[in-house]
Amino acid sequence: GENVEQHPSTLSVQEGDSAVIKCTYSDSASNYFPWYKQELGKGPQLIIDIRSNVGEKKDQRIAVTLNKTAKHFSLHITETQPEDSAVYFCAAKDCSTLGRLYFGRGTQLTVWP
Amino acid sequence: NAGVTQTPKFQVLKTGQSMTLQCAQDMNHEYMSWYRQDPGMGLRLIHYSVGAGITDQGEVPNGYNVSRSTTEDFPLRLLSAAPSQTSVYFCAAGTSGGGEQYFGPGTRLTVT
């Protein structure tokens, strides 16, 4: 099955700086890559996703890039704010598993004011 | 439109007790799944369902049962609770083909 690795496990940045979280996947058949944000005591929330036919996608201060050849994808957050502090999860899905997602272990992002 | 709802929010069980965690969705999504979240382990898939009457095992299915009699509901049953099942449980619903999944707020379970 798919194996998703996520780095770093913790990340601290100053407010206003950028944050980058990286994930790699093992199965070249994977075609959908979502990112989730989990605030303390809440369920994961889908914040952005990218499909294998696209190299980059942006939504205001967040962006995701995908390199299919290297089998890695990244989350970029610009102009970070304290409310960006949360655990972020990447995931990968391939078309053969009918919707099953494989998750990375998460990155605890802390944004200091 | 409530999305995905889970009950209860918190539960304490004694070893050997059984219980059912409830999950319901009002988005008419065919795909539903249960995950457990433990510190440092991320989200691990317990069971999933691609539609009413169809379920399959995920990564950590032992000690848990599921059924899917309707599109809306996907309960998770703990047959005989063990301390190793102390965790936070999340239910999710989404589209099988597209991949988007939406999570409920979670149930925090403690087994003593």
Side-chain angles (χ1 to χ4, degrees), chain A residues 31-32 34 36 38 41-46 49 51 87 89 93 95 97-106, chain B residues 31 35 37 40-43 45 48 50 57-59 90 95-106 108:
Chain A
N31 60 5
Y32 174 70
Y36 288 84
Q38 185 178 27
K42 297 186 177 181
Q45 179 186 9
L46 179 65
D49 55 16
R51 299 188 186 277
V87 178
F89 291 97
K93 183 192 95 65
C95 57
T97 52
L98 299 176
R100 178 172 174 173
L101 292 178
Y102 296 83
F103 284 87
R105 292 197 173 188
Chain B
Y31 185 90
Y35 295 86
Q37 184 175 35
M41 298 297 292
L43 293 154
L45 182 65
Y48 65 99
V50 299
Q57 296 181 352
E59 187 182 354
F90 290 101
T95 60
S96 292
E100 298 92 344
Q101 290 189 35
Y102 303 94
F103 284 80
R108 184 175 293 275

Short mmCIF file of all heavy atoms in Angstrom, two decimals, chain A residues 31-32 34 36 38 41-46 49 51 87 89 93 95 97-106, chain B residues 31 35 37 40-43 45 48 50 57-59 90 95-106 108:
data_model
loop_
_atom_site.label_atom_id
_atom_site.label_comp_id
_atom_site.label_asym_id
_atom_site.label_seq_id
_atom_site.Cartn_x
_atom_site.Cartn_y
_atom_site.Cartn_z
N ASN A 31 -3.11 9.93 -6.95
CA ASN A 31 -3.51 11.02 -7.84
C ASN A 31 -4.22 12.17 -7.14
O ASN A 31 -4.69 13.11 -7.78
CB ASN A 31 -4.40 10.47 -8.96
CG ASN A 31 -5.66 9.82 -8.43
OD1 ASN A 31 -5.94 9.86 -7.23
ND2 ASN A 31 -6.43 9.22 -9.32
N TYR A 32 -4.34 12.11 -5.82
CA TYR A 32 -5.04 13.16 -5.09
C TYR A 32 -4.32 13.38 -3.77
O TYR A 32 -4.04 12.41 -3.05
CB TYR A 32 -6.50 12.76 -4.85
CG TYR A 32 -7.27 13.71 -3.97
CD1 TYR A 32 -7.61 14.98 -4.42
CD2 TYR A 32 -7.65 13.34 -2.69
CE1 TYR A 32 -8.32 15.85 -3.62
CE2 TYR A 32 -8.35 14.20 -1.89
CZ TYR A 32 -8.69 15.46 -2.36
OH TYR A 32 -9.39 16.32 -1.56
N PRO A 34 -4.53 15.80 -0.45
CA PRO A 34 -5.14 16.85 0.38
C PRO A 34 -4.26 17.21 1.57
O PRO A 34 -3.42 16.43 2.00
CB PRO A 34 -6.44 16.19 0.85
CG PRO A 34 -6.10 14.74 0.95
CD PRO A 34 -5.05 14.48 -0.11
N TYR A 36 -4.76 18.78 5.57
CA TYR A 36 -5.72 19.04 6.63
C TYR A 36 -5.06 19.84 7.74
O TYR A 36 -3.88 19.66 8.05
CB TYR A 36 -6.25 17.72 7.21
CG TYR A 36 -7.19 16.99 6.29
CD1 TYR A 36 -6.72 16.16 5.29
CD2 TYR A 36 -8.57 17.14 6.42
CE1 TYR A 36 -7.58 15.49 4.44
CE2 TYR A 36 -9.45 16.47 5.58
CZ TYR A 36 -8.94 15.66 4.60
OH TYR A 36 -9.82 15.00 3.76
N GLN A 38 -5.61 20.68 11.82
CA GLN A 38 -6.33 20.25 13.00
C GLN A 38 -6.00 21.16 14.18
O GLN A 38 -4.88 21.17 14.66
CB GLN A 38 -6.01 18.80 13.36
CG GLN A 38 -6.84 18.27 14.51
CD GLN A 38 -6.54 16.83 14.84
OE1 GLN A 38 -5.46 16.32 14.60
NE2 GLN A 38 -7.53 16.12 15.40
N GLY A 41 -8.38 19.97 19.95
CA GLY A 41 -9.70 19.53 20.37
C GLY A 41 -10.73 19.44 19.26
O GLY A 41 -11.91 19.22 19.52
N LYS A 42 -10.27 19.59 18.01
CA LYS A 42 -11.22 19.55 16.89
C LYS A 42 -10.82 18.47 15.89
O LYS A 42 -9.73 17.90 15.95
CB LYS A 42 -11.26 20.90 16.19
CG LYS A 42 -11.77 22.03 17.08
CD LYS A 42 -11.92 23.31 16.29
CE LYS A 42 -12.50 24.42 17.16
NZ LYS A 42 -12.67 25.69 16.40
N GLY A 43 -11.72 18.21 14.95
CA GLY A 43 -11.42 17.27 13.89
C GLY A 43 -10.60 17.92 12.80
O GLY A 43 -10.60 19.15 12.65
N PRO A 44 -9.88 17.14 12.00
CA PRO A 44 -9.10 17.70 10.89
C PRO A 44 -10.03 18.39 9.88
O PRO A 44 -11.12 17.89 9.58
CB PRO A 44 -8.44 16.47 10.26
CG PRO A 44 -8.41 15.44 11.36
CD PRO A 44 -9.66 15.69 12.15
N GLN A 45 -9.56 19.52 9.36
CA GLN A 45 -10.33 20.29 8.39
C GLN A 45 -9.56 20.38 7.09
O GLN A 45 -8.38 20.79 7.09
CB GLN A 45 -10.61 21.69 8.94
CG GLN A 45 -11.39 22.59 8.00
CD GLN A 45 -11.52 24.01 8.51
OE1 GLN A 45 -10.89 24.39 9.49
NE2 GLN A 45 -12.32 24.81 7.84
N LEU A 46 -10.20 20.04 6.00
CA LEU A 46 -9.56 20.12 4.68
C LEU A 46 -9.32 21.59 4.33
O LEU A 46 -10.25 22.41 4.35
CB LEU A 46 -10.48 19.49 3.63
CG LEU A 46 -10.01 19.51 2.18
CD1 LEU A 46 -8.76 18.66 2.01
CD2 LEU A 46 -11.11 19.01 1.25
N ASP A 49 -6.21 21.12 -1.54
CA ASP A 49 -5.86 19.83 -2.12
C ASP A 49 -5.35 20.05 -3.54
O ASP A 49 -5.52 21.11 -4.13
CB ASP A 49 -7.04 18.86 -2.10
CG ASP A 49 -8.29 19.42 -2.78
OD1 ASP A 49 -8.19 20.42 -3.53
OD2 ASP A 49 -9.38 18.88 -2.55
N ARG A 51 -4.53 17.77 -7.37
CA ARG A 51 -4.62 16.51 -8.12
C ARG A 51 -3.39 16.37 -9.00
O ARG A 51 -2.68 17.33 -9.27
CB ARG A 51 -5.92 16.48 -8.93
CG ARG A 51 -7.12 16.57 -8.04
CD ARG A 51 -8.44 16.35 -8.73
NE ARG A 51 -9.53 16.59 -7.78
CZ ARG A 51 -9.97 15.70 -6.92
NH1 ARG A 51 -9.43 14.49 -6.89
NH2 ARG A 51 -10.96 15.99 -6.09
N VAL A 87 -1.92 21.48 14.04
CA VAL A 87 -1.26 20.31 13.46
C VAL A 87 -1.74 20.18 12.02
O VAL A 87 -2.95 20.26 11.75
CB VAL A 87 -1.57 19.01 14.24
CG1 VAL A 87 -0.90 17.82 13.56
CG2 VAL A 87 -1.10 19.14 15.68
N PHE A 89 -1.73 17.86 8.50
CA PHE A 89 -1.55 16.52 7.96
C PHE A 89 -1.60 16.55 6.44
O PHE A 89 -2.48 17.19 5.86
CB PHE A 89 -2.66 15.58 8.43
CG PHE A 89 -2.62 15.24 9.90
CD1 PHE A 89 -3.41 15.94 10.80
CD2 PHE A 89 -1.80 14.24 10.36
CE1 PHE A 89 -3.38 15.64 12.15
CE2 PHE A 89 -1.76 13.92 11.72
CZ PHE A 89 -2.55 14.62 12.60
N LYS A 93 -4.04 9.70 -2.00
CA LYS A 93 -5.07 8.72 -2.39
C LYS A 93 -4.79 8.25 -3.81
O LYS A 93 -4.45 9.04 -4.67
CB LYS A 93 -6.45 9.35 -2.36
CG LYS A 93 -7.58 8.38 -2.68
CD LYS A 93 -8.89 9.09 -2.93
CE LYS A 93 -9.16 9.34 -4.39
NZ LYS A 93 -9.32 8.11 -5.18
N CYS A 95 -6.46 5.94 -7.15
CA CYS A 95 -7.79 5.67 -7.69
C CYS A 95 -8.23 4.25 -7.44
O CYS A 95 -9.40 3.93 -7.56
CB CYS A 95 -7.81 5.97 -9.19
SG CYS A 95 -6.60 5.06 -10.14
N THR A 97 -8.21 2.54 -4.57
CA THR A 97 -8.68 2.23 -3.22
C THR A 97 -10.00 2.91 -2.88
O THR A 97 -10.36 3.04 -1.74
CB THR A 97 -7.63 2.60 -2.17
OG1 THR A 97 -7.22 3.95 -2.39
CG2 THR A 97 -6.45 1.68 -2.26
N LEU A 98 -10.71 3.37 -3.88
CA LEU A 98 -12.08 3.86 -3.73
C LEU A 98 -12.24 4.89 -2.61
O LEU A 98 -13.20 4.86 -1.86
CB LEU A 98 -13.02 2.68 -3.47
CG LEU A 98 -13.07 1.64 -4.59
CD1 LEU A 98 -13.95 0.47 -4.19
CD2 LEU A 98 -13.57 2.27 -5.88
N GLY A 99 -11.31 5.80 -2.51
CA GLY A 99 -11.46 6.89 -1.55
C GLY A 99 -10.58 6.80 -0.35
O GLY A 99 -10.53 7.72 0.45
N ARG A 100 -9.85 5.70 -0.16
CA ARG A 100 -9.03 5.57 1.04
C ARG A 100 -7.87 6.55 0.98
O ARG A 100 -7.15 6.62 -0.01
CB ARG A 100 -8.52 4.14 1.16
CG ARG A 100 -7.62 3.94 2.35
CD ARG A 100 -7.28 2.49 2.55
NE ARG A 100 -6.29 2.34 3.61
CZ ARG A 100 -5.89 1.17 4.10
NH1 ARG A 100 -6.40 0.05 3.63
NH2 ARG A 100 -4.99 1.12 5.06
N LEU A 101 -7.67 7.29 2.08
CA LEU A 101 -6.56 8.22 2.20
C LEU A 101 -5.48 7.61 3.10
O LEU A 101 -5.78 6.94 4.08
CB LEU A 101 -7.02 9.55 2.82
CG LEU A 101 -7.94 10.43 1.99
CD1 LEU A 101 -8.33 11.67 2.78
CD2 LEU A 101 -7.27 10.84 0.69
N TYR A 102 -4.23 7.91 2.74
CA TYR A 102 -3.10 7.51 3.55
C TYR A 102 -2.47 8.79 4.10
O TYR A 102 -2.06 9.65 3.32
CB TYR A 102 -2.08 6.73 2.72
CG TYR A 102 -2.63 5.42 2.19
CD1 TYR A 102 -3.40 5.39 1.03
CD2 TYR A 102 -2.38 4.22 2.84
CE1 TYR A 102 -3.91 4.21 0.54
CE2 TYR A 102 -2.89 3.02 2.36
CZ TYR A 102 -3.65 3.02 1.21
OH TYR A 102 -4.16 1.84 0.74
N PHE A 103 -2.37 8.87 5.42
CA PHE A 103 -1.94 10.11 6.07
C PHE A 103 -0.49 10.09 6.50
O PHE A 103 0.03 9.03 6.90
CB PHE A 103 -2.80 10.38 7.30
CG PHE A 103 -4.18 10.89 6.99
CD1 PHE A 103 -5.22 10.02 6.74
CD2 PHE A 103 -4.42 12.25 6.93
CE1 PHE A 103 -6.49 10.49 6.44
CE2 PHE A 103 -5.69 12.73 6.63
CZ PHE A 103 -6.72 11.85 6.38
N GLY A 104 0.14 11.26 6.46
CA GLY A 104 1.40 11.46 7.13
C GLY A 104 1.15 11.58 8.62
O GLY A 104 0.00 11.65 9.08
N ARG A 105 2.23 11.65 9.41
CA ARG A 105 2.08 11.64 10.87
C ARG A 105 1.84 13.02 11.46
O ARG A 105 1.66 13.14 12.67
CB ARG A 105 3.29 10.99 11.52
CG ARG A 105 3.36 9.50 11.23
CD ARG A 105 4.28 8.80 12.18
NE ARG A 105 4.21 7.35 12.01
CZ ARG A 105 4.78 6.48 12.80
NH1 ARG A 105 5.46 6.88 13.86
NH2 ARG A 105 4.67 5.18 12.57
N GLY A 106 1.86 14.05 10.63
CA GLY A 106 1.49 15.36 11.12
C GLY A 106 2.67 16.26 11.45
O GLY A 106 3.77 15.78 11.77
N TYR B 31 -18.82 7.44 0.71
CA TYR B 31 -17.66 6.92 1.42
C TYR B 31 -17.67 7.43 2.86
O TYR B 31 -17.79 8.62 3.11
CB TYR B 31 -16.38 7.37 0.72
CG TYR B 31 -15.12 6.80 1.32
CD1 TYR B 31 -14.59 5.59 0.87
CD2 TYR B 31 -14.44 7.46 2.33
CE1 TYR B 31 -13.43 5.06 1.40
CE2 TYR B 31 -13.28 6.94 2.87
CZ TYR B 31 -12.78 5.74 2.41
OH TYR B 31 -11.63 5.21 2.94
N TYR B 35 -11.29 6.57 11.94
CA TYR B 35 -9.88 6.65 12.24
C TYR B 35 -9.70 6.73 13.75
O TYR B 35 -10.57 7.24 14.46
CB TYR B 35 -9.24 7.91 11.64
CG TYR B 35 -9.24 7.97 10.14
CD1 TYR B 35 -10.34 8.47 9.44
CD2 TYR B 35 -8.13 7.57 9.40
CE1 TYR B 35 -10.33 8.54 8.06
CE2 TYR B 35 -8.11 7.65 8.02
CZ TYR B 35 -9.22 8.13 7.36
OH TYR B 35 -9.21 8.21 5.98
N GLN B 37 -6.78 8.36 16.49
CA GLN B 37 -5.63 9.25 16.54
C GLN B 37 -4.96 9.12 17.90
O GLN B 37 -5.56 9.39 18.93
CB GLN B 37 -6.05 10.70 16.30
CG GLN B 37 -4.87 11.66 16.23
CD GLN B 37 -5.27 13.07 15.86
OE1 GLN B 37 -6.33 13.55 16.24
NE2 GLN B 37 -4.42 13.75 15.11
N GLY B 40 1.60 11.16 18.19
CA GLY B 40 2.74 10.77 17.38
C GLY B 40 2.46 9.73 16.31
O GLY B 40 3.37 9.36 15.56
N MET B 41 1.21 9.28 16.23
CA MET B 41 0.89 8.20 15.27
C MET B 41 0.04 8.69 14.11
O MET B 41 -0.29 7.92 13.21
CB MET B 41 0.15 7.07 15.99
CG MET B 41 0.94 6.41 17.08
SD MET B 41 2.43 5.61 16.45
CE MET B 41 1.72 4.28 15.51
N GLY B 42 -0.35 9.93 14.11
CA GLY B 42 -1.19 10.42 13.02
C GLY B 42 -2.59 9.82 13.08
O GLY B 42 -3.09 9.47 14.14
N LEU B 43 -3.18 9.67 11.91
CA LEU B 43 -4.54 9.12 11.79
C LEU B 43 -4.44 7.73 11.19
O LEU B 43 -3.95 7.56 10.07
CB LEU B 43 -5.38 10.03 10.89
CG LEU B 43 -5.68 11.41 11.48
CD1 LEU B 43 -5.93 12.41 10.36
CD2 LEU B 43 -6.88 11.33 12.40
N LEU B 45 -6.44 4.30 9.95
CA LEU B 45 -7.74 3.86 9.46
C LEU B 45 -8.16 2.56 10.14
O LEU B 45 -7.40 1.58 10.14
CB LEU B 45 -7.69 3.68 7.94
CG LEU B 45 -8.97 3.28 7.24
CD1 LEU B 45 -10.01 4.39 7.36
CD2 LEU B 45 -8.70 2.97 5.78
N TYR B 48 -13.66 1.15 6.83
CA TYR B 48 -14.26 2.10 5.92
C TYR B 48 -15.38 1.44 5.14
O TYR B 48 -15.53 0.20 5.14
CB TYR B 48 -13.23 2.72 4.97
CG TYR B 48 -12.58 1.75 4.00
CD1 TYR B 48 -13.00 1.65 2.69
CD2 TYR B 48 -11.49 0.97 4.40
CE1 TYR B 48 -12.40 0.79 1.80
CE2 TYR B 48 -10.88 0.10 3.52
CZ TYR B 48 -11.33 0.02 2.22
OH TYR B 48 -10.72 -0.84 1.35
N VAL B 50 -17.71 1.96 1.35
CA VAL B 50 -17.88 2.68 0.08
C VAL B 50 -19.35 2.82 -0.29
O VAL B 50 -19.66 3.32 -1.38
CB VAL B 50 -17.08 2.03 -1.05
CG1 VAL B 50 -15.59 2.05 -0.72
CG2 VAL B 50 -17.54 0.60 -1.31
N GLN B 57 -11.93 -3.59 6.02
CA GLN B 57 -10.99 -3.30 7.09
C GLN B 57 -9.94 -2.31 6.63
O GLN B 57 -9.51 -2.32 5.47
CB GLN B 57 -10.31 -4.59 7.54
CG GLN B 57 -11.26 -5.59 8.16
CD GLN B 57 -10.54 -6.85 8.61
OE1 GLN B 57 -9.36 -7.04 8.33
NE2 GLN B 57 -11.24 -7.70 9.33
N GLY B 58 -9.50 -1.51 7.59
CA GLY B 58 -8.40 -0.61 7.34
C GLY B 58 -7.12 -1.15 7.95
O GLY B 58 -6.88 -2.36 7.97
N GLU B 59 -6.35 -0.25 8.48
CA GLU B 59 -5.02 -0.56 9.00
C GLU B 59 -5.05 -1.25 10.37
O GLU B 59 -4.24 -2.12 10.67
CB GLU B 59 -4.27 0.76 9.08
CG GLU B 59 -2.81 0.69 9.44
CD GLU B 59 -2.23 2.11 9.51
OE1 GLU B 59 -2.95 3.09 9.18
OE2 GLU B 59 -1.07 2.24 9.92
N PHE B 90 -12.18 9.51 15.12
CA PHE B 90 -12.79 10.42 14.15
C PHE B 90 -13.50 9.63 13.06
O PHE B 90 -12.98 8.64 12.55
CB PHE B 90 -11.74 11.31 13.50
CG PHE B 90 -11.15 12.33 14.42
CD1 PHE B 90 -9.90 12.12 15.00
CD2 PHE B 90 -11.84 13.48 14.72
CE1 PHE B 90 -9.35 13.06 15.86
CE2 PHE B 90 -11.31 14.43 15.59
CZ PHE B 90 -10.07 14.21 16.15
N THR B 95 -16.38 11.64 -0.92
CA THR B 95 -16.69 11.05 -2.21
C THR B 95 -15.65 10.00 -2.55
O THR B 95 -14.46 10.21 -2.36
CB THR B 95 -16.68 12.13 -3.31
OG1 THR B 95 -15.39 12.74 -3.34
CG2 THR B 95 -17.71 13.20 -3.00
N SER B 96 -16.10 8.85 -3.02
CA SER B 96 -15.15 7.78 -3.35
C SER B 96 -14.26 8.18 -4.52
O SER B 96 -13.07 8.03 -4.48
CB SER B 96 -15.91 6.50 -3.71
OG SER B 96 -16.55 5.97 -2.59
N GLY B 97 -14.87 8.71 -5.55
CA GLY B 97 -14.08 9.02 -6.74
C GLY B 97 -13.20 10.23 -6.55
O GLY B 97 -12.04 10.22 -6.93
N GLY B 98 -13.75 11.29 -5.95
CA GLY B 98 -13.01 12.55 -5.85
C GLY B 98 -11.94 12.54 -4.80
O GLY B 98 -10.87 13.11 -4.98
N GLY B 99 -12.20 11.92 -3.66
CA GLY B 99 -11.21 11.86 -2.61
C GLY B 99 -11.42 12.80 -1.46
O GLY B 99 -10.90 12.57 -0.38
N GLU B 100 -12.19 13.89 -1.64
CA GLU B 100 -12.37 14.82 -0.53
C GLU B 100 -13.08 14.12 0.63
O GLU B 100 -14.07 13.43 0.42
CB GLU B 100 -13.24 16.02 -0.96
CG GLU B 100 -12.66 16.85 -2.07
CD GLU B 100 -13.11 16.39 -3.44
OE1 GLU B 100 -13.63 15.25 -3.55
OE2 GLU B 100 -12.95 17.16 -4.39
N GLN B 101 -12.51 14.27 1.84
CA GLN B 101 -13.15 13.71 3.01
C GLN B 101 -13.30 14.79 4.07
O GLN B 101 -12.42 15.64 4.21
CB GLN B 101 -12.33 12.55 3.58
CG GLN B 101 -12.36 11.31 2.71
CD GLN B 101 -11.75 10.11 3.37
OE1 GLN B 101 -11.86 9.93 4.58
NE2 GLN B 101 -11.09 9.28 2.58
N TYR B 102 -14.42 14.70 4.80
CA TYR B 102 -14.75 15.70 5.80
C TYR B 102 -14.93 14.99 7.13
O TYR B 102 -15.66 14.00 7.22
CB TYR B 102 -16.01 16.45 5.38
CG TYR B 102 -15.84 17.09 4.02
CD1 TYR B 102 -16.27 16.43 2.87
CD2 TYR B 102 -15.19 18.31 3.88
CE1 TYR B 102 -16.07 16.99 1.63
CE2 TYR B 102 -14.99 18.87 2.63
CZ TYR B 102 -15.43 18.20 1.51
OH TYR B 102 -15.21 18.75 0.28
N PHE B 103 -14.24 15.52 8.14
CA PHE B 103 -14.18 14.86 9.43
C PHE B 103 -15.21 15.40 10.41
O PHE B 103 -15.56 16.59 10.38
CB PHE B 103 -12.79 15.02 10.04
CG PHE B 103 -11.76 14.13 9.42
CD1 PHE B 103 -11.18 14.45 8.21
CD2 PHE B 103 -11.38 12.95 10.05
CE1 PHE B 103 -10.22 13.62 7.63
CE2 PHE B 103 -10.43 12.11 9.48
CZ PHE B 103 -9.85 12.45 8.27
N GLY B 104 -15.64 14.52 11.31
CA GLY B 104 -16.45 14.94 12.44
C GLY B 104 -15.57 15.51 13.55
O GLY B 104 -14.35 15.54 13.44
N PRO B 105 -16.21 15.93 14.66
CA PRO B 105 -15.46 16.59 15.75
C PRO B 105 -14.72 15.62 16.66
O PRO B 105 -13.90 16.05 17.47
CB PRO B 105 -16.56 17.32 16.52
CG PRO B 105 -17.79 16.52 16.26
CD PRO B 105 -17.66 15.99 14.87
N GLY B 106 -15.00 14.31 16.55
CA GLY B 106 -14.25 13.34 17.34
C GLY B 106 -14.94 12.89 18.61
O GLY B 106 -15.80 13.59 19.17
N ARG B 108 -13.59 11.30 22.31
CA ARG B 108 -12.43 10.96 23.14
C ARG B 108 -12.82 9.82 24.05
O ARG B 108 -13.70 9.98 24.90
CB ARG B 108 -11.96 12.16 23.94
CG ARG B 108 -10.69 11.90 24.76
CD ARG B 108 -10.20 13.17 25.44
NE ARG B 108 -9.73 14.14 24.48
CZ ARG B 108 -8.50 14.17 23.98
NH1 ARG B 108 -7.61 13.24 24.35
NH2 ARG B 108 -8.14 15.10 23.13
#
